[in-house]
Amino acid sequence: GQVRIYGADNPDALRGIYLDGVVLDEYGLMMGTVWGEVIRPLLTDRQGWALFIGTPNGQNQFYERVKQAQSEAGWFFAEYQASRTNILPADELTDARASMTADEYAQEFECSFEASVKGAVYAREIQQAREEGRLTHVPYDPALPVDTFWDLGIRDTTALWVGQRMYGGAVHVIDYYENHGLGLDHYASFVKGTPYGRGDDWFPHDINQRELTSGKSRIEFVRGLGLNAHVTPRLDVDEGVHAARMLFPKCWFDKQRAEKGLEALVNYHWRINAVTKYWAEEPVHDWASHGADAFRTLAVAYQQPRLKRQREKPDYDPMDWPRFRPRRLGGPADGGLGGRGGYS
């Protein structure tokens, strides 16, 4: 047999050969078409194998392959964090940590895809949730109401999170939905069509704006669609981000049903000011901002009494639950007593 070393900078030069197996090193730095258009067909005749290895470098094709390996049968997945393998001496890791930023260290030594998103707003919070096993299967509790939390888009994406607040302060985030180009009636139908018990539907402050044609506010419209609509206080973006960071340690996310929302939180990032070279005052408005804005709605709604600079008094206090008798404490991993599970 032969072992050959090729470069991936000119993948077309590989066409016409066959492979019994291939190791793609630093696959995330290769062109996105290398695997599907070149390498995979070269393995077909021999039913060959492939091994993808590398360091996180943003949510690119390597990230997609990692997700595939974690979820599909027939794949093997392994992650080797320096803090767990104990291969590198402790003093070497200490020295590396002292000369690198926290995100650089998490990316290079702890295999963090979240930290590899430069300027990621919730990098540390997502990484902590992953390490504590709070990205897992989160069951729906029919004994407690289910609330929704929205970010509205007119010509843009509308996103909403679905959550339950448990006894003891834990928040179970059990679902996520987004779409675009559709009216509010579509999203109202989605909410009412879920198998979850109905609670309250929380919207950002701009839902109070009135339409010029009808003279009605959008909150009147959504209430007419059968939603139990309430409005969160108007806060600056940084205040909303602070509220989200305060709530994160209490959140348990269903990693399957809320997968797309979690990806939005991972990729929500600050923009670098081209002149000052510092982070801009507000995060980038892109596809990830819709899910992140909806999560801010969740955080503000569930923490209103704790926010110091509250500008509007809400018409409903989410901390007051006279109608319900909570019965669960903590997270789902051990039946609600705050246990921790692993992740793959």
Side-chain angles (χ1 to χ4, degrees):
Q2 295 179 337
V3 176
R4 299 182 180 181
I5 300 176
Y6 296 96
D9 54 337
N10 184 18
D12 288 334
L14 301 175
R15 296 182 185 273
I17 65 175
Y18 70 86
L19 299 172
D20 290 293
V22 61
V23 177
L24 296 99
D25 186 24
E26 296 298 353
Y27 174 65
L29 301 179
M30 299 179 186
M31 299 180 191
T33 58
V34 166
W35 170 249
E37 295 186 7
V38 180
I39 301 297
R40 182 61 183 88
L42 301 181
L43 297 170
T44 299
D45 289 347
R46 312 283 288 211
Q47 298 184 25
W49 52 267
L51 177 63
F52 302 83
I53 61 178
T55 301
N57 188 36
Q59 298 202 4
N60 49 27
Q61 65 269 13
F62 184 46
Y63 174 75
E64 295 298 325
R65 208 60 62 209
V66 166
K67 290 202 304 179
Q68 184 179 11
Q70 290 175 324
S71 60
E72 293 187 9
W75 284 78
F76 166 78
F77 171 75
E79 181 180 81
Y80 302 103
Q81 298 176 342
S83 59
R84 296 184 179 184
T85 60
N86 296 319
I87 294 175
L88 297 175
D91 57 348
E92 172 63 20
L93 295 179
T94 300
D95 184 72
R97 193 189 296 270
S99 59
M100 304 170 71
T101 67
D103 286 347
E104 288 171 343
Y105 184 87
Q107 174 183 343
E108 297 296 326
F109 288 90
E110 298 299 321
C111 306
S112 172
F113 281 98
E114 291 76 22
S116 66
V117 179
K118 302 305 180 186
V121 176
Y122 300 121
R124 292 179 180 85
E125 287 76 15
I126 291 288
Q127 182 67 18
Q128 182 181 10
R130 194 184 301 280
E131 292 173 353
E132 294 179 355
R134 290 186 283 110
L135 309 185
T136 181
H137 170 64
V138 182
Y140 156 58
D141 189 341
L144 295 175
V146 175
D147 305 312
T148 64
F149 309 89
W150 299 58
D151 175 63
L152 296 175
I154 303 302
R155 299 179 182 87
D156 215 340
T157 298
T158 290
L160 62 95
W161 291 89
V162 181
Q164 290 184 290
R165 187 170 47 188
M166 315 303 290
Y167 180 70
V171 175
H172 289 185
V173 184
I174 59 176
D175 212 337
Y176 175 85
Y177 180 73
E178 70 173 43
N179 215 319
H180 65 279
L182 299 170
L184 286 171
D185 55 337
H186 167 81
Y187 301 98
S189 297
F190 166 79
V191 170
K192 292 186 292 185
T194 63
Y196 313 126
R198 297 289 293 117
D200 294 307
D201 305 296
W202 288 91
F203 292 85
H205 67 90
D206 54 3
I207 198 174
N208 283 322
Q209 295 178 356
R210 294 190 175 274
E211 303 289 346
L212 294 177
T213 53
S214 64
K216 292 184 177 180
S217 65
R218 280 184 284 174
I219 192 170
E220 293 175 303
F221 180 72
V222 298
R223 283 172 176 165
L225 294 173
L227 297 182
N228 190 19
H230 302 276
V231 184
T232 56
R234 180 174 183 174
L235 299 176
D236 292 336
V237 172
D238 59 342
E239 293 176 302
V241 168
H242 175 66
R245 285 173 169 164
M246 289 173 61
L247 189 68
F248 243 106
K250 303 175 183 178
C251 290
W252 296 71
F253 296 88
D254 190 287
K255 67 178 182 180
Q256 182 175 359
R257 292 193 300 266
E259 179 182 15
K260 195 165 186 178
L262 285 169
E263 289 185 3
L265 293 178
V266 166
N267 285 275
Y268 189 52
H269 65 283
W270 304 101
R271 186 193 306 277
I272 296 180
N273 187 303
V275 177
T276 65
K277 305 302 181 183
Y278 290 102
W279 301 117
E281 293 182 358
E282 293 189 0
V284 175
H285 179 76
D286 59 8
W287 67 270
S289 62
H290 309 295
D293 289 346
F295 188 77
R296 286 211 313 270
T297 302
L298 184 157
V300 174
Y302 274 173
Q303 295 197 120
Q304 290 181 65
R306 301 184 182 185
L307 298 177
K308 295 181 179 179
R309 293 162 58 187
Q310 189 168 310
R311 298 185 179 181
E312 296 177 9
K313 184 176 181 181
D315 56 358
Y316 171 76
D317 182 359
M319 302 298 289
D320 181 20
W321 293 86
R323 296 173 293 166
F324 308 105
R325 183 179 180 182
R327 63 178 179 86
R328 177 170 291 173
L329 174 65
D334 60 352
L337 297 177
R340 299 182 180 183
Y343 76 97
S344 61

